Amino acid sequence: MESIINNLSVDCVIFGFDNQTLNVLLTKRELKDPSSGELLISDYTLQGHHVLVGENVDDAAKRVLLDKTGLSNIYLEQFHTFGNTNRLQKPNDQLWKKLMYPMVSEHVVSVCYFSLVDSSKVKPDHQHEYTSWIPVSDLPELGYDHEEMIKMALEHLRNKIFREPIGFELLPDKFTLSELQALYEAILNTSIDRRNFWKKVSQMKYVIPLDEKRKTNARRSSQVFIFSRDVYDRTKKEKLSLSY
Amino acid sequence: MESIINNLSVDCVIFGFDNQTLNVLLTKRELKDPSSGELLISDYTLQGHHVLVGENVDDAAKRVLLDKTGLSNIYLEQFHTFGNTNRLQKPNDQLWKKLMYPMVSEHVVSVCYFSLVDSSKVKPDHQHEYTSWIPVSDLPELGYDHEEMIKMALEHLRNKIFREPIGFELLPDKFTLSELQALYEAILNTSIDRRNFWKKVSQMKYVIPLDEKRKTNARRSSQVFIFSRDVYDRTKKEKLSLSY
DNA sequence: TCAAAAGTGTTGACATTACACCCATGT
DNA sequence: ACATGGGTGTAATGTCAACACTTTTGA
């Protein structure tokens, strides 16, 4: 086993979308008193781990993502580093540390990433008993400063989704406009006019209609689209060159 | 002297504006061969230091800022953490480390901040011989990954200045619209129509005209404005509540 | 046939851009 | 008097939000 860097960790806020709600992947943390069976700790945490000796911090995040979802090459972006000395000082966290990780530093700095995955691609064997998708609108009690992390990640996601086409990372390759709209509505926690949304998206040349229809729960079957990063990158460059 | 955390540092990209160009505060790093007098190292670095044991990372950045500019309570925002294992491996950096900081870790992770200051407020005694304002458009050779840091900080600044009133942090409390416009033009590296700029700014209720004029180099004397964060925060809240 | 979601078009409000013009004043 | 930057207005264009209407098809 490779050795860890004692005072340095990464945490990943992994977002997924299930056609209805925006979820985050959390792991249940439970601790029972061995004699009485009393539940001493019962809360949730993000997916995280210490950085290994000789490992790039970004690679540590990729490793955590691969370990917990079985996925690589997916959207992953560092958004903030949490470095307060008191971030591990809540009673639950102190108890957990004392019993499970006694040699870890008292001041662990955590570099935090957010990730967007098509949750249908997360392999079932990685969704084991302690890890599950939880709606961001209904967060349970969280360990450490992980609630703050999720809130901040969500804020980042909301800001970024206006300017960059990252929403598609949360959907299957092929999607309908209703699905895309439901995604935006879930992330922004608002409702969007269907017709204006259609108009806006149809102007985006990088959202490409296929010669394919799909029957959803609607009466009428709906057009299927894909997102093309190639087209996006090209049209984006044009835009930039025009503004100069 | 307090002890440092071996593998953790902060770096500050401190921006200043001198009515003409956007500058960054850099420190000259020189090393001469004691016998031959040959210049072994001659480049620049950002303002940085290791985090101290028991210190919040944000506080370390504030400390660096206070040490290097004499200022506190100024705009400071974390924007990225640089954690690659190879970030200190350039020949200059290895040589410098070997001679000056032999016991520091080979893998130092640096949390990077950007700061906006009114450069007229930076105390002269802090601008000692090795520290000076350098135009961002004409960067010298930089140590470590500090060029990448400055580039990324500038990118952040450019994105953020559209959405939040942070430009004012770079100006004296009282300013004219020409000064404000010159600032935007310097940051965005573009030219803005004077009349449209005026219109846009006069719609911002948090940019308040004073009963005061100032003679600049223009024939006519120009109106003086101040920025009110109070008004901004209040009108911002209204906006948010309307959008729901 | 009718309810429900897919798809299309029109309009007015508002913001952005590109200009033309006058004002005050130091040289 | 005139050049220079300060200050004001107006028309064209583009973007965004609100809303009416038609199409398809399962129940």
Side-chain angles (χ1 to χ4, degrees):
Chain A
M1 175 182 162
E2 290 117 336
S3 55
I4 63 169
I5 297 179
N6 225 322
N7 62 350
L8 197 63
S9 68
V10 293
D11 284 298
C12 295
V13 182
I14 304 171
F15 289 114
F17 181 66
D18 63 1
N19 273 330
Q20 290 262 321
T21 54
L22 184 67
N23 300 310
V24 59
L25 197 65
L26 296 178
T27 294
K28 182 137 193 145
R29 182 172 71 160
E30 275 195 348
L31 188 69
K32 280 184 186 162
D33 187 306
S35 51
S36 72
E38 188 199 355
L39 213 54
L40 298 173
I41 299 179
S42 173
D43 58 14
Y44 287 82
T45 67
L46 290 171
Q47 321 302 315
H49 196 253
H50 279 260
V51 180
L52 304 181
V53 171
E55 182 181 45
N56 291 338
V57 175
D58 287 347
D59 291 338
K62 284 178 198 158
R63 173 173 51 81
V64 166
L65 208 53
L66 181 61
D67 285 354
K68 305 293 180 171
T69 68
L71 299 176
S72 54
N73 271 82
I74 57 180
Y75 190 87
L76 181 67
E77 180 186 338
Q78 185 200 305
F79 69 93
H80 197 76
T81 294
F82 293 78
N84 276 1
T85 53
N86 65 359
R87 54 180 293 273
L88 310 180
Q89 302 300 322
K90 287 195 289 187
N92 272 7
D93 304 328
Q94 282 287 298
L95 180 60
W96 183 263
K97 172 176 145 39
K98 196 164 79 182
L99 296 173
M100 308 285 283
Y101 305 102
M103 47 244 274
V104 156
S105 165
E106 284 290 326
H107 185 196
V108 177
V109 170
S110 182
V111 184
C112 212
Y113 291 75
F114 80 91
S115 177
L116 306 177
V117 307
D118 169 4
S119 43
S120 68
K121 281 185 187 153
V122 173
K123 297 210 181 83
D125 51 289
H126 284 278
Q127 273 184 306
H128 57 70
E129 46 181 336
Y130 285 110
T131 300
S132 57
W133 291 105
I134 310 274
V136 294
S137 57
D138 190 26
L139 293 176
E141 194 189 338
L142 287 150
Y144 312 113
D145 47 2
H146 287 190
E147 184 171 353
E148 195 189 344
M149 288 177 177
I150 295 173
K151 292 272 165 65
M152 200 182 278
L154 193 53
E155 197 63 32
H156 260 261
L157 176 57
R158 282 181 177 150
N159 286 329
K160 191 141 190 175
I161 207 169
F162 279 115
R163 12 209 88 269
E164 286 179 52
I166 57 173
F168 307 98
E169 309 286 345
L170 287 158
L171 291 175
D173 293 344
K174 297 179 180 183
F175 52 86
T176 67
L177 288 194
S178 309
E179 288 165 354
L180 187 62
Q181 180 175 349
L183 169 65
Y184 273 76
E185 290 179 334
I187 291 176
L188 300 172
N189 192 29
T190 181
S191 67
I192 304 171
D193 184 278
R194 183 173 44 85
R195 296 153 291 188
N196 291 332
F197 186 78
W198 206 96
K199 213 185 313 169
K200 202 168 179 178
V201 175
S202 56
Q203 283 163 206
M204 303 173 181
K205 288 176 183 161
Y206 48 88
V207 180
I208 301 168
L210 298 182
D211 286 341
E212 192 176 332
K213 302 242 168 183
R214 188 202 303 167
K215 280 174 194 160
T216 59
N217 53 344
R219 307 288 177 268
R220 193 171 170 176
S221 60
S222 53
Q223 184 109 33
V224 176
F225 292 79
I226 56 164
F227 165 65
S228 163
R229 179 157 298 280
D230 280 4
V231 175
Y232 175 75
D233 288 342
R234 258 184 285 132
T235 55
K236 197 68 184 177
K237 260 182 201 161
E238 280 167 25
K239 262 190 190 172
L240 276 175
S241 59
L242 279 174
S243 71
Y244 273 75
Chain B
M1 175 181 164
E2 290 117 336
S3 54
I4 63 169
I5 298 179
N6 226 321
N7 61 351
L8 196 64
S9 68
V10 293
D11 283 298
C12 295
V13 182
I14 305 172
F15 289 113
F17 181 67
D18 63 1
N19 273 331
Q20 290 262 324
T21 54
L22 183 67
N23 299 309
V24 59
L25 197 65
L26 295 179
T27 294
K28 182 137 193 147
R29 181 171 73 160
E30 276 195 346
L31 187 70
K32 279 182 186 161
D33 188 305
S35 52
S36 73
E38 188 200 354
L39 213 52
L40 297 174
I41 299 179
S42 173
D43 58 13
Y44 288 82
T45 66
L46 290 171
Q47 321 302 315
H49 195 253
H50 279 259
V51 179
L52 304 181
V53 172
E55 182 181 45
N56 292 337
V57 175
D58 287 347
D59 291 337
K62 285 178 197 158
R63 172 172 55 80
V64 166
L65 209 55
L66 181 62
D67 285 354
K68 304 293 179 171
T69 67
L71 299 175
S72 53
N73 272 83
I74 57 181
Y75 189 87
L76 181 67
E77 179 187 337
Q78 186 201 302
F79 70 92
H80 197 76
T81 294
F82 293 77
N84 276 2
T85 52
N86 65 358
R87 54 179 295 273
L88 310 180
Q89 302 299 321
K90 288 196 288 189
N92 272 7
D93 305 328
Q94 283 286 298
L95 180 60
W96 184 261
K97 172 177 147 37
K98 195 164 79 182
L99 295 172
M100 309 285 282
Y101 305 102
M103 48 243 275
V104 156
S105 164
E106 284 291 326
H107 184 196
V108 177
V109 170
S110 182
V111 185
C112 212
Y113 292 75
F114 79 92
S115 177
L116 306 178
V117 308
D118 168 5
S119 43
S120 68
K121 281 185 188 153
V122 173
K123 297 211 182 79
D125 51 288
H126 284 278
Q127 274 185 305
H128 58 70
E129 47 181 336
Y130 285 110
T131 301
S132 57
W133 290 107
I134 311 275
V136 294
S137 57
D138 190 26
L139 293 177
E141 195 190 337
L142 287 150
Y144 312 113
D145 47 2
H146 288 190
E147 184 171 352
E148 196 190 343
M149 288 179 178
I150 296 173
K151 291 272 165 64
M152 200 181 279
L154 192 53
E155 196 62 32
H156 259 261
L157 176 57
R158 282 179 177 150
N159 286 329
K160 190 141 191 174
I161 206 168
F162 279 116
R163 10 210 91 268
E164 285 179 53
I166 57 173
F168 307 98
E169 309 285 345
L170 287 158
L171 292 175
D173 294 344
K174 298 178 178 182
F175 52 87
T176 68
L177 287 194
S178 309
E179 289 166 352
L180 187 62
Q181 181 176 347
L183 168 66
Y184 273 76
E185 290 180 335
I187 291 177
L188 300 173
N189 192 30
T190 181
S191 67
I192 305 171
D193 184 277
R194 184 173 46 84
R195 298 153 290 191
N196 292 331
F197 186 76
W198 168 274
K199 212 186 314 171
K200 201 167 180 178
V201 175
S202 56
Q203 284 163 205
M204 303 174 183
K205 288 177 183 160
Y206 48 87
V207 180
I208 301 168
L210 297 181
D211 286 341
E212 192 177 333
K213 301 240 168 184
R214 188 202 303 167
K215 281 173 192 159
T216 60
N217 55 343
R219 307 287 177 269
R220 193 170 171 178
S221 60
S222 53
Q223 183 109 33
V224 175
F225 292 79
I226 56 165
F227 165 65
S228 163
R229 180 157 297 280
D230 280 4
V231 174
Y232 175 74
D233 288 341
R234 258 183 285 132
T235 55
K236 198 68 184 176
K237 260 181 201 162
E238 280 166 26
K239 262 189 189 172
L240 278 175
S241 58
L242 279 174
S243 71
Y244 274 74

